[in-house]
Amino acid sequence: ADHVQLLGTVRSLHPETRTQLPNWIENIVANVCHSFGARYQVNYRQGVPSVQNDYAMTQLLQSSAEEAWSCDRVQVLPEPSLGAEDFSVYLEHAPGSMFRLGVGYKDRIINHPLHHPEFEVDESAIITGVVTMAYAAYKYYQSR
């Protein structure tokens, strides 16, 4: 081929890594192209940073959900996610915490994952989210 176009998405968990990614990509592309005598052009667009939840706000949300609904309905996710989410921009201005609200049906044999064309939302989960957020807001206000 006399022309190649490569597109991709890059995500990182750490701000230091995010800062270095454009240079790393440029160096890799330059070295590969140089070895084949090719020219290149890199157009790197910086997306939003990864979500960095505030520890205290995360603890507040967790305790609120556990007190409102019981510990067995709260699942702590120990590993970070590389999902793209612009909530991180809010966290640049105020402490906060993003959490996931399980909205799939528990009693279905086939429960399609989020973003699947046949995924269905169990709208009763809205109550769970509203109560959790309201209780967290109340606890936050009471602690001030």
Side-chain angles (χ1 to χ4, degrees):
D2 66 342
H3 178 87
V4 175
Q5 183 176 12
L6 177 65
L7 304 172
T9 301
V10 179
R11 297 180 181 160
S12 64
L13 295 174
H14 306 289
E16 307 80 33
T17 303
R18 183 172 184 259
T19 301
Q20 295 177 11
L21 278 168
N23 289 332
W24 290 346
I25 292 169
E26 177 92 26
N27 287 337
I28 291 168
V29 170
N31 288 326
V32 169
C33 288
H34 177 74
S35 67
F36 290 100
R39 293 177 294 143
Y40 72 93
Q41 178 182 358
V42 174
N43 296 317
Y44 187 93
R45 276 193 337 208
Q46 191 87 290
V48 296
S50 62
V51 172
Q52 302 290 326
N53 285 334
D54 179 81
Y55 180 79
M57 290 296 187
T58 302
Q59 293 301 112
L60 174 69
L61 272 170
Q62 181 180 345
S63 68
S64 298
E66 289 174 349
E67 290 171 26
W69 301 107
S70 80
C71 292
D72 64 325
R73 289 190 56 189
V74 176
Q75 180 182 4
V76 176
L77 303 175
E79 298 297 321
S81 167
L82 284 172
E85 180 55 58
D86 59 0
F87 184 75
S88 62
V89 178
Y90 292 113
L91 298 180
E92 292 176 353
H93 302 283
S97 183
M98 183 175 156
F99 70 100
R100 294 181 181 176
L101 180 63
V103 297
Y105 287 93
K106 292 185 228 173
D107 57 350
R108 299 245 174 118
I109 294 172
I110 298 176
N111 202 2
H112 295 287
L114 191 62
H115 304 300
H116 187 282
E118 294 181 39
F119 176 75
E120 292 184 62
V121 173
D122 179 355
E123 291 184 0
S124 68
I126 294 170
I127 295 167
T128 304
V130 169
V131 169
T132 301
M133 293 294 291
Y135 189 45
Y138 172 77
K139 286 179 62 168
Y140 179 79
Y141 176 75
Q142 291 298 316
S143 70
R144 298 288 160 204

